[in-house]
Amino acid sequence: MLELRNIKKYYNQGTVNELCLFDNFNLSIPDHQFVSVVGSNGSGKTSMLNLVCGSIAADGGQILVNGKDITGKKEFERHQSIGRVFQDPAKGTCPSMTILENMSIADHKGNCYGLRRGKNKGKAGQYQELLRSLNLGLEDKLEVKAGSLSGGQRQALALLMATMSPIEFLILDEHTAALDPKTAELVMELTGRIVKEKQVTTIMVTHNLRYAVEYGNRLLMMHQGAAVMDCAGEEKARLQAEDIFQAFHEISMGYGN
Ligand SMILES: Nc1ncnc2c1ncn2[C@@H]1O[C@H](COP(=O)(O)OP(=O)(O)O)[C@@H](O)[C@H]1O
Ligand SMILES: [Mg+2]
């Protein structure tokens, strides 16, 4: 169980640009849940993910994992149990390193051995099998530099790398937004497959309402640092993209924008 309790988050505190984004924000995510998060630009989606990952610190409140307070834990410590994929395919892989080197580093996450050695020939066969599951022909390109792959191939590789070591949480921040529709579909299918297979607790931010409907067993809509819609289970399963769009519209009208 991941819990955000009474989270407070300010930006530019004490200046004319002060923004209190989260004012006693609460969220509990049970193990193995797949949460799709939607919401307008600036509603606090990325900030919420950054708080979970420890990329930014909260100004109040607590973050707990299985009842254990991790609020003070640094980003690199939390990184051990978190896989994260960003919108930019370039962020999840190292362009100047080969696919093999990239995968080796991901495999040895936070382990000096992997970082020093960079390569691990013995594992090549295993990595090849993983790559084969992507159906992108990357299994024959272990020695190719990640920087020469297409955006979609890189994002698929980033997703694979984020999930190849044992993790508790998968954090996806608009990870298909920069891809063309066909490639986005492919990466989304891969996401669904990996989440199902690994039963990893997942938070996926997306602007694609169809993905939000088709994937995940909980839907959260954020607006101005609050969860204005939160449905799970049967209720989520019945939800249509039009329902979310309608709710989106009503909420932004209600808030005068
Ligand atoms: N580092 C920062 N400094 C100042 N303001 C920020 C910073 N990061 C985010 N914000 C502000 O916080 C709000 C939420 O941003 P963000 O979490 O990125 O939203 P979203 O991901 O939903 O688009 C926005 O108004 C944004 O301008
Ligand atoms: Mg964002």
Side-chain angles (χ1 to χ4, degrees), residues 80-242:
Q80 294 289 338
S81 60
I82 297 178
R84 190 171 187 181
V85 184
F86 299 86
Q87 180 174 340
D88 183 357
K91 270 196 170 178
T93 52
C94 178
S96 59
M97 291 176 123
T98 66
I99 294 182
L100 177 66
E101 287 166 336
N102 268 284
M103 290 182 83
S104 175
I105 282 175
D107 193 14
H108 297 93
K109 192 169 189 170
N111 181 329
C112 290
Y113 167 78
L115 284 173
R116 257 201 324 268
R117 291 282 307 276
K119 283 189 179 190
N120 189 342
K121 291 277 183 201
K123 287 256 182 141
Q126 199 181 316
Y127 298 161
Q128 237 167 348
E129 282 317 300
L130 276 171
L131 290 166
R132 202 183 305 280
S133 71
L134 298 179
N135 288 322
L136 291 171
L138 293 182
E139 61 272 18
D140 302 320
K141 296 190 172 153
L142 277 179
E143 297 299 338
V144 167
K145 290 218 167 29
S148 69
L149 302 178
S150 71
Q153 286 175 325
R154 264 185 100 168
Q155 199 66 323
L157 179 62
L159 187 58
L160 202 65
M161 285 167 60
T163 52
M164 64 191 285
S165 61
I167 48 164
E168 267 179 273
F169 305 104
L170 178 60
I171 305 290
L172 308 167
D173 195 356
E174 299 187 40
H175 73 309
T176 61
L179 308 175
D180 67 68
K182 193 163 165 268
T183 314
E185 203 72 35
L186 198 140
V187 169
M188 216 33 248
E189 276 167 27
L190 175 68
T191 306
R193 193 145 44 91
I194 289 176
V195 172
K196 200 169 172 191
E197 200 178 285
K198 303 207 178 261
Q199 288 290 302
V200 59
T201 308
T202 302
I203 312 178
M204 175 181 79
V205 168
T206 181
H207 282 304
N208 187 315
L209 300 185
R210 187 168 59 78
Y211 292 161
V213 163
E214 281 178 22
Y215 293 86
N217 44 20
R218 180 174 178 186
L219 181 115
L220 207 67
M221 186 183 289
M222 305 275 297
H223 190 79
Q224 297 183 347
V228 289
M229 185 175 171
D230 185 0
C231 60
E234 284 293 301
E235 198 190 348
K236 159 74 170 70
R238 279 196 299 270
L239 211 60
Q240 309 270 315
E242 298 80 62

Side-chain angles (χ1 to χ4, degrees), residues 9-12 17 19 21-22 37-50 56 173-174 205 207 222 225:
K9 179 66 197 172
Y10 292 91
Y11 284 119
N12 305 316
N17 294 321
L19 167 74
L21 178 61
F22 293 118
V37 183
V38 297
S40 48
N41 291 325
S43 56
K45 304 178 300 296
T46 296
S47 297
M48 179 180 75
L49 300 184
N50 281 337
I56 59 171
D173 195 356
E174 299 187 40
V205 168
H207 282 304
M222 305 275 297

Side-chain angles (χ1 to χ4, degrees), residues 55-67:
S55 321
I56 59 171
D59 296 305
Q62 290 173 301
I63 301 173
L64 298 104
V65 173
N66 300 327

